[in-house]
């Protein structure tokens, strides 16, 4: 049985292990030696550019405006494994400003805060100089500035902010740099009012640069921006310069569009009136027939722009004698006074409406497009003594428009008073210039054109002021198309 047990492999292995352990123990006990122990490795490291943190400052009243440095260098010692496990951001250095008021002081830095297992060997610098300034608060009006382009034809009005003012807090020395407080509103493609939109407010200097560190209270505003139709349509009137070739007369002028859009502020558009002028140079027309001529439109003074900026005129020129005139009565054309010492010195007493009707003739298209603004009626009271006077009215008509042959002179009754006695009815004493003044035909009190006449070729020339009413009428009637 015993022999069988010793021949078993498992038992043999166990016995061999036990004998080996016994022999190892005996060798070490006899020699008096001990097992080697583990040793810990230490080292040092320099950490550059550790940022200095400020603590304790009453930032509701003061602001740190200067530090001679905001970084330090520290040398630390510790286990090498710990030194290599941490980065520069794991080290903190602070300065306590809790006792600081306005002024400059040199203060010690607090002991650095370092990771566990690391100790500080040195720190450079250990003192820093800081400057603290008292804050100031001032109220500023809020300006709303639109950005982008509104929808075509729309005008962007001045934005209104709620609240209209905000408080800006800055160090006293920097407060004077604040030029404005603004909020920006995007009006791109807007065709109606922008209402109750929240915008961020910021303080800016005179160069439009944002002022860093400015504290605004509140820092947002509710904004309304009016968006309105930004144009007004005015009729297009054609004026003339130059002369047609001999033997030709103007028969018809038709613009491709009859109105132009004038763009401007609402205040400007509420006042602008009259017409947009296109000046046709007749010398460009060299032969009879219908020709398309592109003519620039004159932008009224004060307008931002007009559309279109030019218009095509379909101009018909015919031989003299082939053009048929039509007649038309223009009604309620106001009469203005000229030559009075003052506005109170003379007044029109008859007709009481201070306006007259006048019959005109000319090419059909030109006559049909005529308006009261194209005709000027003036009564000259120069040299009249005090009292009532019946005086002729001078008539100014557009070029190529005349009065029919045999037309009676236009008359008004004027009351002239002594300069010291005010008149009952003030009257305008100096007429405004007609839009077509350079092309108009001034007419004497008998109603017929005298300063300018038109010959059979359509050319104008000076005539004698003494021309009789019958002769003048005949000449103009025969010469106009």
């Amino acid at each position: 049985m015993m022999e069988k047990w010793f021949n078993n492999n498992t038992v043999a292995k166990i016995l061999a292990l036990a004998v080996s352990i016994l022999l190892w123990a005996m060798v070490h006990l006899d020699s008096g030696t001990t097992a080697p122990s583990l040793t810990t490795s230490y080292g040092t490291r320099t950490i550059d550019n550790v940022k200095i943190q400020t603590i304790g400052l009453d930032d509701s009243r003061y602001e740190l405006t200067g530090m001679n440095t905001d970084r330090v260098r520290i040398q630390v010692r510790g286990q090498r494994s710990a030194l290599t496990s941490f980065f520069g951001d794991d080290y903190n250095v602070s300065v306590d400003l809790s006792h600081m008021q306005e002024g400059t002081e040199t203060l010690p830095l607090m002991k650095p805060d370092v990771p566990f297992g690391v100790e500080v060997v040195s720190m450079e610098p250990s003192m820093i100089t800081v400057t603290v300034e008292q804050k100031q608060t001032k109220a500023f009006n809020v300006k709303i500035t639109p950005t982008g382009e509104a929808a075509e034809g729309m005008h962007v009005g001045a934005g209104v902010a709620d609240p209209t003012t905000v408080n800006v807090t800055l160090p006293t020395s920097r407060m004077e740099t604040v030029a404005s407080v603004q909020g920006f509103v995007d009006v791109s493609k807007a065709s109606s009012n922008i209402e109750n939109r929240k915008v961020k407010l910021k303080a800016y200097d005179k160069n439009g640069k944002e002022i860093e560190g400015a504290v605004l209270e509140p820092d947002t505003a509710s904004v309304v921006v009016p968006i309105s139709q930004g144009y007004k349509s005015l009729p297009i009137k054609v004026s003339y310069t130059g002369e047609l070739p001999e033997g030709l007369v103007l028969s018809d002028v038709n613009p491709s569009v009859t109105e132009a859009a004038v763009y401007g502020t609402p205040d400007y558009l509420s006042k602008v009136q009259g017409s947009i002028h296109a000046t046709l140079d007749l010398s460009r027309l060299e032969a009879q027939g219908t020709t398309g001529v592109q003519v620039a439109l004159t932008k009224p003074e004060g307008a931002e722009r007009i559309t279109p900026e030019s218009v095509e005129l379909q101009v018909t020129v015919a031989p003299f004698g082939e053009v048929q005139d039509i007649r038309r009565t223009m009604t309620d054309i106001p009469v203005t006074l000229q030559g009075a010492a003052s506005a109170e010195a003379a007044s029109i007493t008859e007709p009481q409406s201070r306006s007259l009707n006048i019959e005109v003739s000319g090419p059909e298209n030109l006559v049909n497009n005529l308006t009261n603004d194209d005709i000027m009626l003036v009564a000259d009271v120069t040299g009249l003594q005090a009292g009532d006077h019946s005086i002729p009215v001078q008539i100014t008509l557009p070029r190529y428009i005349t009065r029919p042959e045999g037309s009676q002179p236009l008359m008004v009754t004027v009351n002239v008073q002594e300069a010291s006695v005010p008149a009952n009815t003030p009257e305008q004493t100096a007429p405004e210039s007609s839009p077509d003044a350079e092309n108009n035909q001034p007419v004497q009190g008998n109603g017929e054109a005298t300063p300018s006449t038109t010959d059979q070729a359509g050319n104008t020339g000076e005539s004698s002021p003494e021309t009789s009413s019958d002769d003048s009428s005949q000449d103009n009637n025969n010469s106009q198309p």
Side-chain angles (χ1 to χ4, degrees), residues 232-239 253-263 275-281 284 293-301 303-314 436:
K232 183 176 183 179
S233 294
L234 294 179
I236 293 175
K237 289 293 182 181
V238 181
S239 304
V253 178
N254 281 309
S256 56
V257 293
T258 59
E259 292 184 334
V262 180
Y263 292 83
S275 55
I276 305 296
H277 283 263
T279 302
L280 172 63
D281 183 0
R284 298 170 61 183
V293 181
Q294 196 74 20
V295 177
L297 297 177
T298 302
K299 184 179 72 172
E301 183 179 358
E304 294 177 359
R305 61 187 176 95
I306 59 173
T307 56
E309 295 182 345
S310 63
V311 62
E312 184 177 51
L313 304 178
Q314 291 296 319
D436 295 318

Side-chain angles (χ1 to χ4, degrees), residues 237 328 330 360 366-372 374-375 398 401:
K237 289 293 182 181
R328 179 185 174 191
M330 307 296 293
V360 298
L366 302 184
V367 171
N368 287 338
N369 288 330
L370 203 62
T371 68
N372 285 6
D374 299 321
I375 302 173
I401 301 296

Side-chain angles (χ1 to χ4, degrees), residues 187-215:
V187 299
S188 298
K189 306 298 182 182
S191 58
S192 59
N193 292 346
I194 295 175
E195 298 183 351
N196 300 323
R197 181 176 295 183
K198 289 288 186 181
V199 299
K200 186 74 173 178
L201 302 178
K202 295 181 180 180
Y204 296 88
D205 63 18
K206 63 180 181 180
N207 296 319
K209 184 179 179 180
E210 181 183 349
I211 298 177
E212 298 292 339
V215 178

Side-chain angles (χ1 to χ4, degrees), residues 14 68 155 197 225 241 342 375 435:
I14 293 172
N68 66 330
H155 177 79
R197 181 176 295 183
V225 180
T241 61
S342 66
I375 302 173

Side-chain angles (χ1 to χ4, degrees), residues 28-59:
H28 283 281
L29 289 174
D30 290 343
S31 63
T33 61
T34 60
S37 61
L38 295 175
T39 60
T40 302
S41 178
Y42 284 84
T44 60
R45 180 184 177 189
T46 299
I47 312 297
D48 293 317
N49 296 321
V50 178
K51 187 172 179 60
I52 300 173
Q53 308 292 329
T54 60
I55 60 174
L57 183 65
D58 183 2
D59 55 11

Side-chain angles (χ1 to χ4, degrees), residues 190-415:
S191 58
S192 59
N193 292 346
I194 295 175
E195 298 183 351
N196 300 323
R197 181 176 295 183
K198 289 288 186 181
V199 299
K200 186 74 173 178
L201 302 178
K202 295 181 180 180
Y204 296 88
D205 63 18
K206 63 180 181 180
N207 296 319
K209 184 179 179 180
E210 181 183 349
I211 298 177
E212 298 292 339
V215 178
L216 279 65
E217 180 60 38
D219 61 356
T220 61
S222 178
V223 177
V224 174
V225 180
I227 308 291
S228 60
Q229 187 177 15
Y231 69 89
K232 183 176 183 179
S233 294
L234 294 179
I236 293 175
K237 289 293 182 181
V238 181
S239 304
Y240 306 95
T241 61
E243 305 296 341
L244 291 171
E246 185 176 356
L248 298 179
V249 292
L250 192 63
S251 173
D252 195 10
V253 178
N254 281 309
S256 56
V257 293
T258 59
E259 292 184 334
V262 180
Y263 292 83
T265 64
D267 182 62
Y268 170 79
L269 294 176
S270 67
K271 298 175 182 177
V272 66
Q273 55 185 348
S275 55
I276 305 296
H277 283 263
T279 302
L280 172 63
D281 183 0
L282 296 175
S283 64
R284 298 170 61 183
L285 308 171
E286 300 178 351
Q288 68 182 61
T290 300
T291 305
V293 181
Q294 196 74 20
V295 177
L297 297 177
T298 302
K299 184 179 72 172
E301 183 179 358
E304 294 177 359
R305 61 187 176 95
I306 59 173
T307 56
E309 295 182 345
S310 63
V311 62
E312 184 177 51
L313 304 178
Q314 291 296 319
V315 184
T316 301
V317 175
F320 178 78
E322 294 185 6
V323 178
Q324 292 293 324
D325 289 351
I326 67 167
R327 295 188 178 191
R328 179 185 174 191
T329 299
M330 307 296 293
T331 61
D332 298 324
I333 301 174
V335 180
T336 57
L337 292 180
Q338 176 178 283
S342 66
E344 295 80 15
S347 62
I348 297 174
T349 58
E350 185 62 36
Q352 295 182 354
S353 64
R354 298 188 295 279
S355 62
L356 294 171
N357 301 335
I358 180 174
E359 187 179 25
V360 298
S361 67
E364 181 177 2
N365 178 266
L366 302 184
V367 171
N368 287 338
N369 288 330
L370 203 62
T371 68
N372 285 6
D373 292 336
D374 299 321
I375 302 173
M376 183 183 295
L377 302 182
V378 177
D380 191 351
V381 298
T382 302
L384 295 181
Q385 301 297 319
D388 292 327
H389 302 269
S390 180
I391 61 175
V393 175
Q394 298 176 3
I395 306 167
T396 303
L397 297 174
R399 198 171 183 181
Y400 299 107
I401 301 296
T402 63
R403 296 194 69 198
E405 181 182 358
S407 297
Q408 295 298 313
L410 301 181
M411 307 293 292
V412 293
T413 300
V414 177
N415 177 261

Side-chain angles (χ1 to χ4, degrees), residues 140-144 160-168 181-185 196-203 214-224:
F140 288 85
N141 292 327
V142 176
K143 178 183 177 182
I144 301 302
V160 179
D162 182 20
T164 58
T165 61
V166 298
N167 290 326
V168 177
V181 171
Q182 296 188 57
F184 294 87
V185 179
N196 300 323
R197 181 176 295 183
K198 289 288 186 181
V199 299
K200 186 74 173 178
L201 302 178
K202 295 181 180 180
V215 178
L216 279 65
E217 180 60 38
D219 61 356
T220 61
S222 178
V223 177
V224 174

